[in-house]
Amino acid sequence: LEINFVKCIDELDDLCARQKSLENSVKHYKAYAEIKGKEPMHLSWREKGEVPAIPHYSQQLREVNEEIKKKTAKLEEEWAEHERSVERGDPDSVQTPPETLLDAAFVSFKNLRSATTALQTLHHQQPFAVLAQEAPKPKDIYWANTGMRHWRLTFQQILAGALTSGLIVFWTVPIAFIATLQKVDDLKRILGPPNCKDDESCPLMVAIEKFPLLDNLLAAVAPLALIILTSLLPAILGWFCTLEGHIGQGVLQASLFSKLTLFMIVQTFFISAIAGSIVSDMEALLDDPVGKIQNILATKIPIQAVTFMSLVFVKASVGLMTELLRVWAIIFAVLHYLLAPNLTQEEKESDWMGLMPLCNPGGLWFAWYFADVVLMFVVLFVYSVLSPISSVLMLAVFFLLQVVYRNQLIYVYDPSNDAGGKYWGHFVWYVIVSMLIAQFTTLAVLSLNQSKSAPLMAPLIIASILFWRYLNTQHFRVASTLPVVG
């Protein structure tokens, strides 16, 4: 049995990061001097001019190394003094540990059975006093969330849930605004001054007449804004995941997958299906809202199968093509070659501001791809009854997905980013939710079309809910925790 307490050493972490940066700078300028055959210079604000870069960074590196030694010795002395006080039985020292000590520790066991037993054991009679959970690998620990108090953890989880719900609901607002920018004439009216009476008095129109290329640039504003907004979504949801207090990168990514999947189901499936049906019949909807909504649900939603099949095929074809050809990886590698420092071997092989070289493919982003797969499951389950031909098309899509991603996972991506099965529980849960969505949608369509077979859906829905309840009883716990015996 080995116990490692978690200490807050932010200052030492900053010094170590500074040390690593200075080491890289020294290596870079030494390589520069060897390749170029001349002394590299550095612009120093302290010296008010250029100074030799290698001695400059070497001196700073020595200063940081000395500071790290002093800081480490001070922390070790504080902790050693605390341990000696505890051994002497001094009650004041026991109650006042060093300020760097957090309310967390990593416990290592000699065998797997002991660790599994500890995970499933109640360790304290007071609720929330001791919380045992599986520890991630050292390189996968998200240190900012370690040692968090329970009240703060609960508050941040509620906050993250509220922010996620608000983002999913109100995401249509910026999307609707971007939709208004798709027409170049509307964009010209928005960007132009409000007091322009004609094109000759509007500076924007005059500029477009002089430089026709601006017209093409304005036409690209809406697609570019949509791409930027979509690319920001995982980063925003990822920040919400960090608020939930997870200490492992695998759990963080599984939480991100859950949020992305919920976003895909609500925004891409429900809102797109309903909005696409309502917009086409807006005038009739205003005359007879109740009757028209019933008509839309009964007739228009099945017609949306073509739209969703097109969406799935575009995602699959374009996504798999770019994945096999590694289009984005090549673009990022070219930008890395052009922009990043590439003098040393370490610089050539490491990432720079998110840009990765081809020799460092990283790992597959499971959260984003799994969210797309769950959306495909929703489309399959819903329209396999309403539009049976979709089952054949989805079979082809899933076949291509497994061929391509099997190849990428075996031969391209780094396999070390194993999350320990953290995605599995979320994935099964959403597949069952997709099945229930399909059953309720089919029941609604059959009922509104006054079909006599609609009551036959009730036993299927009840059986699915009972099966879901049966799985929630023990199966998810067995899938997430190893048994002590067996």
Side-chain angles (χ1 to χ4, degrees), residues 170-183:
F170 294 105
W171 187 259
T172 52
V173 176
I175 294 297
F177 174 73
I178 291 176
T180 62
L181 305 180
Q182 291 182 354
K183 294 183 179 180

Side-chain angles (χ1 to χ4, degrees), residues 103-117:
D103 293 336
F106 291 92
V107 183
S108 302
F109 295 88
K110 293 183 178 179
N111 54 71
L112 184 59
R113 177 174 296 180
S114 299
T116 304
T117 304

Side-chain angles (χ1 to χ4, degrees), residues 471-483:
L471 290 181
N472 283 330
T473 304
Q474 284 290 327
H475 284 72
F476 284 104
R477 182 185 178 189
V478 172
S480 61
T481 307
L482 293 175

Side-chain angles (χ1 to χ4, degrees), residues 32 92 136-137 154 175 181 191 248 261 298 300 360 436 440 462:
Y32 179 89
D92 294 334
K137 299 176 183 178
T154 304
I175 294 297
L181 305 180
L191 297 178
T261 302
K300 297 296 183 179
N360 186 6
L436 290 173
F440 279 107
I462 294 173

